[in-house]
Amino acid sequence: MKSKNLQKSFYLVILVGIIISFQNCSSNFEALSEGGGLAGAAGMQLSAESFRMAQDAELSQQQYDCPEPVYRGFKCLDKVLRTQEGLDYPVKFRWNRAGQESSGTVIWVLGSNGRGSWRAFGGVIPVQEDFDKNKKIRSVEVDFTQAPKDSVNDGGYWTYGGGYFSAAQAYMAAVAYVTANLKSGAFLNHVGGSNGTMVAAYALSHFGAGEFVDRFILHAGPFLPNLLEACDPSHFASFSISPRVHGTIKSLLGFWGALDRNIDVCAPSSAPVVNRLSLLKDAVKSYPQNGIHVIMGAKEKDEGFGEWIIESNFSWYSQIEAAEKTREVLASIGHEMYWPSVASFASRPKPTVMGAAPTMTFSTTRDGAAVTRVPLNATVYGVIRNIDASSAMGCMTESARVADCANPHKWVSFPNADWTFDGSVWRAQFSPQKLGLVPGKTYVGFNVNTKTGQRTSPVNLQVIAESPVPQATEPPAGQRPAPVLILSKSYNGGSSGTFAADETVYGVSRNLPAVGVKGCMQESSQFGLCSDPKNWQSLPNGDWSYVNGEWRAQFVPAQIGGAPGKTYIGFHINTATGERTANFSFTLSAPKAVPKPNPSTPVISEGLFMSDVGIYYSNGSSYCYFGNMESFTRATGRTNADGIRRVNGLPASMKNDGTCVVP
């Protein structure tokens, strides 16, 4: 605990001390504007190749044994690195395992101004020792050693101000040197905290740092994807959500960006520093060969940089994509390192390259062609591909409010009442009318693979007025096949005349049109009622829907009032021609054994599922049962059970809430 508190002091006391220690100074914006010493960074991207270095021929002569006892066994080297801006930064490298083969290398980069040694903070020592002795991983520490020169210069990263643009160039020069001279083994991973995350994240999005570094283990950052959004009080990650530290944060950014703690970085006159401080504005957001691992502390809200830094980090994290992505907000820490996470992530090899991008389409038929306009009364089929069963989120809203989906708090997790995973893809089936969508409006949405951050392209869906009911047009009698109705125990199975009351029945009715079809079914003793057309029901209804040129149903007899021992008779009829199917009949037997809760069945995640008895809904801790298809359809907008996951037994660890209550 002592080392943890010391690490916390390292980040907080030094950073806040910057503000307290320095007196008023003139604005340095002149140096950032065109014609000044530092070029504006707007739109400026540099390739990793432009930073690549040749091996240092003087390395063996210039390196020496580090003198500090805590660095016994480490080598040291002092260099001056020149950036692409032509700025010189003194750097000290410290590394272990000299002359030994290593499995990989970890580069350690400090927060604040980048000055100092990691081993001054005890928590790092057991991790580096474990890497060395047990995992054969080299540690290379980078110390930006330039001391403050005057009252407006904090040295290190901020020797010239210049924001994260200049600091990240200094970082890239150091990474390039390590890659050419000190890297050992198959991978190079980065560990940093606070500003040690910011220089890496800026270099990743602007200078191609992912070409050199494989994984980034990032504590207490990154933050500030776009300074303009942070200055917007309506944005979910605005400075204004943390009034306690609002002034402190803006003063720090003014100092780092222009060596002036008194400027207002949110004022229009501060435009020259916007791109120099914004990690993702006009920048690359996709890192297909890298792993990104973020650890934030919940105690930031009260003892660090406030809720703002957590939300700003979430905004950054939600916008990037990578081969691997993880993010934790730990209740036990604040603005500090969490060493178990460092030990876990920093020792991992290169990640697997990012997979195929997800896609989402809506159609008026299952697996049909994509459409962007649907009638209010249509059945719409959605499918999402290339996202697995545990990694899907999404957002969809009316186009006038599309900005809401930029807030990841507005995304919803799958499965939900609309979307279920069928074993290979995500599927939805819904009626725009039943979902309350409005004719004339356009709805926009996307889905996200949470493991990589990859998104589907935004999909637009315009709802139009109900499609008119067309007049039935049929070929002359004798030139068309007779309609036929089949009930089966499996999808597209053979006809069956006996079903258990709690068994799923699959129905198909062929050679009937999409409109003008009605049906009637009664218990055999009441079948005479079907001779009166007023007792016929129009299709589609709660059981039957028209799919790919056929009428389909999927139901459990007990859920629609079927009784064991009874026989039921019915038919379908084309009301335009009078042609009808032959009467079908089936007899119900006793229900199958009701499944008892099974201690070995795991907890079922939120969404729909089926057992042998029927359809259920889980909220993650309890479940309820749809007593009939009508209530299922009212609750979900679905008319069949296609794609609903199946379980072999009800989980004993979950509460049974009985029948689902549907308004």
Side-chain angles (χ1 to χ4, degrees):
M1 180 62 73
K2 180 178 179 182
S3 64
K4 184 171 108 173
N5 290 337
L6 187 58
Q7 184 74 53
K8 186 188 308 182
S9 299
F10 166 67
Y11 287 128
L12 292 177
V13 174
I14 291 182
L15 292 182
V16 175
I18 293 173
I19 297 174
I20 297 172
S21 301
F22 296 115
Q23 304 302 313
N24 293 350
C25 55
S26 61
S27 172
N28 195 45
F29 279 150
E30 293 80 0
L32 300 176
S33 60
E34 292 188 11
L38 301 180
M44 190 169 180
Q45 298 285 326
L46 297 172
S47 70
E49 287 303 312
S50 66
F51 290 91
R52 198 173 295 277
M53 294 183 182
Q55 285 189 326
D56 183 359
E58 298 178 341
L59 172 62
S60 59
Q61 290 79 33
Q62 293 179 346
Q63 64 180 303
Y64 57 93
D65 294 333
C66 297
E68 304 92 341
V70 75
Y71 282 100
R72 183 174 293 111
F74 277 67
K75 292 291 186 180
C76 280
L77 176 70
D78 300 304
K79 301 294 290 186
V80 175
L81 302 178
R82 175 160 291 185
T83 70
Q84 298 293 316
E85 291 182 289
L87 305 176
D88 291 333
Y89 289 82
V91 174
K92 180 186 290 293
F93 295 100
R94 303 180 183 91
W95 71 97
N96 62 1
R97 299 186 59 81
Q100 301 180 57
E101 292 292 329
S102 300
S103 60
T105 300
V106 175
I107 184 171
W108 301 76
V109 181
L110 288 164
S112 184
N113 56 10
R115 298 176 60 227
S117 62
W118 277 89
R119 287 202 163 206
F121 312 99
V124 73
I125 295 176
V127 177
Q128 290 185 346
E129 291 297 310
D130 176 61
F131 285 179
D132 175 22
K133 300 296 191 299
N134 300 320
K135 298 175 181 175
K136 294 183 169 56
I137 295 174
R138 169 175 287 178
S139 290
V140 179
E141 295 186 13
V142 182
D143 180 356
F144 290 85
T145 56
Q146 178 64 59
K149 296 177 181 178
D150 51 51
S151 62
V152 297
N153 192 328
D154 190 48
Y157 298 139
W158 315 120
T159 297
Y160 307 95
Y164 292 114
F165 181 86
S166 295
Q169 286 215 6
Y171 166 80
M172 279 296 289
V175 168
Y177 188 90
V178 170
T179 301
N181 299 284
L182 301 178
K183 176 185 175 182
S184 178
F187 62 85
L188 177 63
N189 294 341
H190 166 104
V191 173
S194 192
N195 272 341
T197 74
M198 296 295 287
V199 295
Y202 198 102
L204 187 61
S205 60
H206 288 77
F207 307 140
E211 294 293 321
F212 295 141
V213 181
D214 299 304
R215 293 183 186 271
F216 295 83
I217 296 81
L218 308 171
H219 287 68
F223 41 89
L224 207 66
N226 190 333
L227 177 60
L228 300 180
E229 293 173 349
C231 292
D232 179 1
S234 67
H235 195 272
F236 79 95
S238 168
F239 292 136
S240 62
I241 66 174
S242 295
R244 175 179 60 84
V245 292
H246 186 178
T248 299
I249 295 167
K250 291 174 69 176
S251 293
L252 281 172
L253 293 174
F255 182 82
W256 295 333
L259 299 179
D260 186 347
R261 69 182 182 89
N262 292 313
I263 64 172
D264 182 357
V265 293
C266 291
S269 58
S270 301
V273 297
V274 170
N275 282 71
R276 285 181 169 271
L277 291 171
S278 301
L279 297 188
L280 297 180
K281 187 175 182 295
D282 304 321
V284 175
K285 301 178 183 179
S286 180
Y287 320 122
Q289 62 190 32
N290 301 112
I292 307 292
H293 308 287
V294 175
I295 299 92
M296 300 295 291
K299 290 183 178 180
E300 287 269 20
K301 295 179 181 180
D302 301 316
E303 61 184 40
F305 286 95
E307 186 176 3
W308 167 78
I309 197 172
I310 299 175
E311 291 298 310
S312 187
N313 169 262
F314 192 27
S315 178
W316 174 85
Y317 182 82
S318 70
Q319 295 180 58
I320 66 164
E321 57 183 50
E324 292 181 24
K325 278 178 61 178
T326 61
R327 181 178 184 265
E328 302 173 278
V329 181
L330 302 179
S332 61
I333 65 172
H335 199 81
E336 57 195 289
M337 304 296 291
Y338 185 67
W339 301 113
S341 293
V342 175
S344 172
F345 291 120
S347 59
R348 297 185 185 184
K350 293 176 185 252
T352 303
V353 175
M354 191 162 63
T359 63
M360 177 173 64
T361 57
F362 290 109
S363 179
T364 52
T365 59
R366 182 181 171 92
D367 292 324
V371 298
T372 57
R373 300 172 77 245
V374 294
L376 180 65
N377 60 343
T379 297
V380 180
Y381 298 83
V383 60
I384 303 168
R385 293 182 169 86
N386 301 329
I387 302 181
D388 67 28
S390 61
S391 307
M393 296 188 77
C395 185
M396 193 156 195
T397 187
E398 198 266 315
S399 58
R401 301 182 59 188
V402 68
D404 289 352
C405 287
N407 182 348
H409 292 293
K410 301 291 181 68
W411 302 352
V412 296
S413 297
F414 291 4
N416 57 22
D418 299 317
W419 291 90
T420 56
F421 193 72
D422 71 358
S424 59
V425 299
W426 288 95
R427 292 194 181 274
Q429 182 177 334
F430 61 89
S431 162
Q433 188 172 37
K434 291 180 179 179
L435 289 182
L437 305 187
V438 179
K441 290 188 178 293
T442 297
Y443 297 84
V444 183
F446 59 84
N447 291 93
V448 180
N449 182 341
T450 58
K451 286 184 177 179
T452 65
Q454 292 168 285
R455 300 188 186 189
T456 64
S457 297
V459 173
N460 295 303
L461 196 64
Q462 182 184 17
V463 179
I464 60 177
E466 294 187 20
S467 49
V469 177
Q471 296 296 315
T473 57
E474 297 285 343
Q479 297 182 19
R480 54 181 176 261
V484 59
L485 189 151
I486 298 170
L487 298 181
S488 177
K489 294 178 180 289
S490 62
Y491 191 82
N492 286 337
S495 179
S496 179
T498 303
F499 299 92
D502 56 357
E503 185 176 9
T504 299
V505 177
Y506 297 85
V508 59
S509 193
R510 298 189 173 101
N511 306 326
L512 289 168
V515 295
V517 175
K518 293 187 176 184
C520 187
M521 184 179 71
Q522 293 289 339
E523 193 268 320
S524 59
S525 65
Q526 301 293 316
F527 183 61
L529 295 172
C530 288
S531 62
D532 186 345
K534 71 180 182 182
N535 292 322
W536 300 350
Q537 291 188 343
S538 294
L539 274 59
N541 57 19
D543 300 318
W544 291 87
S545 59
Y546 196 71
V547 180
N548 294 333
E550 300 174 331
W551 287 97
R552 291 276 182 178
Q554 187 172 328
F555 61 90
V556 176
Q559 294 180 1
I560 57 174
K566 298 283 188 179
T567 297
Y568 296 84
I569 305 174
F571 59 84
H572 286 166
I573 185 169
N574 182 341
T575 59
T577 66
E579 292 174 292
R580 54 187 274 178
T581 66
N583 292 344
F584 68 86
S585 66
F586 64 93
T587 301
L588 296 184
S589 60
K592 297 178 181 178
V594 176
K596 295 180 180 180
N598 186 347
S600 64
T601 300
V603 170
I604 299 170
S605 61
E606 182 178 356
L608 298 170
F609 68 94
M610 292 185 68
S611 74
D612 290 338
V613 173
I615 307 174
Y616 295 77
Y617 175 77
S618 165
N619 65 8
S621 60
S622 62
Y623 58 87
C624 63
Y625 172 77
F626 289 104
N628 54 58
M629 204 66 180
E630 181 181 358
S631 64
F632 170 75
T633 300
R634 286 205 316 272
T636 66
R638 299 173 55 132
T639 58
N640 60 54
D642 289 350
I644 296 178
R645 56 187 165 163
R646 292 180 175 270
V647 299
N648 294 324
L650 300 176
S653 58
M654 297 181 70
K655 179 184 176 184
N656 185 345
D657 287 338
T659 302
C660 299
V661 177
V662 180

